[in-house]
């Protein structure tokens, strides 16, 4: 049976496993190549530098959440319900990432610190998704705001405790769900007035 074609996606999958096994400080491109059964030059043909590979794997990790949130944005129905689902999913997704695989979450938290551009683009994408939902709410007469984009940034910032990785240690506290629900409800009430 011929060997499987080396693709960027296969490399990113292997990189994630190598990062999980060795952590960001010890994982190397040679380790990724070894896991794939190829030379490190083959990996470099797809990702020119170790930094580019680490940035791509970080983007892939962040995109998993963005893609699911994007599907909520494009759903039919009341904007208020979509915003509720969007905020809830973002919190739950981040909390599960931190709790279900703490080693990998810690690895990605380190990588995020190295990949400012990827993180900035991710935040911009999430704020654009929020803007779309808030604009729909204004069009439906459910939300009142003179600037949906400014309001979207404010909503993102106001809920930061529930999605910013620096708050991850708080996400396992028993009262965190009630805290999240209180902030989410406050945001929704504020948009209605």
């Amino acid at each position: 049976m011929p060997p499987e074609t080396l693709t960027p996606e296969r490399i990113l999958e292997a990189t994630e496993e190598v990062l999980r096994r060795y952590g960001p400080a010890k994982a190397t491109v040679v380790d990724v190549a070894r896991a794939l059964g190829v030379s490190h030059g083959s990996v470099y043909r797809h990702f020119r530098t170790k930094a580019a590979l680490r940035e791509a794997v970080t983007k892939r990790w962040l995109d998993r959440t963005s893609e699911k949130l994007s599907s909520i944005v494009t759903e039919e129905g009341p904007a208020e319900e979509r915003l509720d689902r969007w905020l809830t999913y973002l919190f739950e997704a981040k909390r599960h990432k931190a709790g279900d695989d703490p080693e990998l979450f810690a690895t990605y938290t380190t990588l995020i610190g190295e990949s400012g551009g990827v993180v900035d683009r991710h935040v911009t994408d999430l704020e654009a998704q929020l803007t779309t939902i808030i604009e729909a709410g204004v069009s439906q007469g459910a939300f009142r705001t003179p600037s949906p984009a400014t309001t979207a940034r404010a909503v993102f910032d106001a809920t930061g405790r529930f999605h910013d990785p620096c708050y991850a240690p708080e996400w396992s506290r028993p009262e965190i769900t009630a805290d999240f629900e209180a902030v989410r409800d406050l945001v929704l009430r504020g948009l209605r007035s």
Side-chain angles (χ1 to χ4, degrees):
M1 188 157 122
E4 198 174 342
T5 303
L6 187 64
T7 63
E9 186 61 26
R10 280 193 61 222
I11 294 169
L12 293 175
E13 288 170 6
T15 302
E16 191 169 283
E17 286 306 313
V18 167
L19 286 166
R20 180 180 280 118
R21 189 176 315 133
Y22 300 116
K26 294 182 182 176
T28 68
V29 175
V30 172
D31 294 325
V32 173
R34 190 177 304 122
L36 291 163
V38 301
S39 72
H40 66 281
S42 296
V43 174
Y44 282 124
R45 282 198 235 0
H46 292 275
F47 299 96
R48 295 175 89 59
T49 64
K50 179 180 177 180
L53 176 58
R54 290 164 76 106
E55 187 171 296
V57 79
T58 302
K59 180 182 181 310
R60 178 178 183 254
W61 187 69
L62 293 171
D63 285 351
R64 288 180 187 142
T65 302
S66 294
E67 289 165 5
K68 173 60 179 168
L69 291 168
S70 180
S71 70
I72 294 170
V73 172
T74 59
E75 289 174 359
E76 295 293 322
E80 185 171 346
E81 291 175 12
R82 285 186 286 150
L83 180 57
D84 183 339
R85 279 195 307 281
W86 193 96
L87 292 170
T88 301
Y89 179 82
L90 179 60
F91 171 50
E92 290 299 327
K94 297 287 180 145
R95 185 162 66 162
H96 284 294
K97 283 181 179 186
D100 295 349
D101 197 342
E103 294 83 13
L104 192 59
F105 187 80
T107 293
Y108 276 111
T109 300
T110 299
L111 293 179
I112 284 169
E114 299 172 0
S115 303
V118 170
V119 174
D120 291 345
R121 288 187 295 277
H122 176 68
V123 169
T124 298
D125 177 49
L126 296 182
E127 288 176 354
Q129 290 182 20
L130 279 171
T131 299
T132 300
I133 294 172
I134 292 168
E135 286 171 341
V138 170
S139 294
Q140 294 169 358
F143 298 154
R144 293 175 51 138
T145 177
S147 174
T150 301
T151 300
R153 278 190 299 282
V155 168
F156 191 76
D157 291 343
T159 57
R161 178 177 172 217
F162 308 103
H163 57 76
D164 187 320
C166 74
Y167 293 101
E170 293 185 25
W171 299 342
S172 60
R173 292 181 27 235
E175 64 274 8
I176 196 69
T177 299
D179 292 350
F180 166 74
E181 290 170 354
V183 170
R184 182 200 58 206
D185 293 348
L186 180 66
V187 165
L188 292 171
R189 275 195 313 274
L191 286 168
R192 286 192 297 260
S193 47

